Each structure stands twice: as structure tokens, then as C-alpha cells.
Amino acid sequence: RDVNGIKFWGMHGGKGWGSAYKWRDAARALGYRVDRTPKVGAIAYFAQTATRTYGHVAWVASVSSDKQRVTIEEYNVHTRRGYGTRTLNVS
């Protein structure tokens, strides 16, 4: 896969990214900025929970002018293998 100009196949920078819950630590280990500041093109990361065993990641498609809401694009949230968008509060 080509993600934002980066060839990505579950391995990137010598790190195995695998399930979504591993992405935050893999990104930090490679020096990528990981914070709560929304930016178009960034990855939104959701930690593991009782109902989200593998965590979740999504693509930030837009950010409101006050930076309080983001619209994300994602797969596999409400329907198996289904694409969707959601607008969420940054908090």
C-alpha cells in the first residue's frame, strides 16, 4: 500500500506496526510526532478497550477552524470492511 507517499505493508522503518494498538509506540520509536494536536493527513489513534481489542486508527481528513473537531476517514468500525467518515470532538 502507498499511504501518503509512504510504502506501507505493516512494516515501516524496521518496526512492525501490526494491530492498531501498536501504532503509537512504533511511531514514537521512529521519531514521529505523537500528540493531541489535530492536523489534516495525520493518523488518529484510538487505544485498546474492552470492545476495541486491537485499537483503531483512522486518517484525519479535516480539522475545524477552532481545532476542536476533526473529520476522520476509516474502515471497519461499524460494519465489517466498511468505509466511513465521522466527525468527532478532539477531546
Side-chain angles (χ1 to χ4, degrees):
R1 293 181 195 128
D2 187 26
V3 178
N4 204 23
I6 298 171
K7 298 284 184 207
F8 192 92
W9 292 96
M11 289 289 292
H12 175 70
K15 297 284 181 192
W17 292 57
S19 295
Y21 73 88
K22 296 179 181 182
W23 283 43
R24 181 188 60 194
D25 293 338
R28 281 187 177 145
L30 291 170
Y32 289 104
R33 189 177 80 210
V34 176
D35 60 22
R36 293 182 169 268
T37 304
K39 182 177 177 183
V40 172
I43 300 299
Y45 167 82
F46 301 85
Q48 286 176 293
T49 65
T51 59
R52 193 182 300 132
T53 306
Y54 301 105
H56 185 64
V57 291
W59 182 264
V60 178
S62 67
V63 180
S64 65
S65 59
D66 63 2
K67 298 190 187 308
Q68 296 303 305
R69 296 179 62 74
V70 294
T71 298
I72 58 173
E73 296 181 25
E74 60 193 341
Y75 282 90
N76 303 333
V77 172
H78 299 293
T79 61
R80 185 96 175 126
R81 298 185 184 154
Y83 168 82
T85 63
R86 290 189 286 165
T87 299
L88 307 168
N89 290 324
V90 170
S91 61

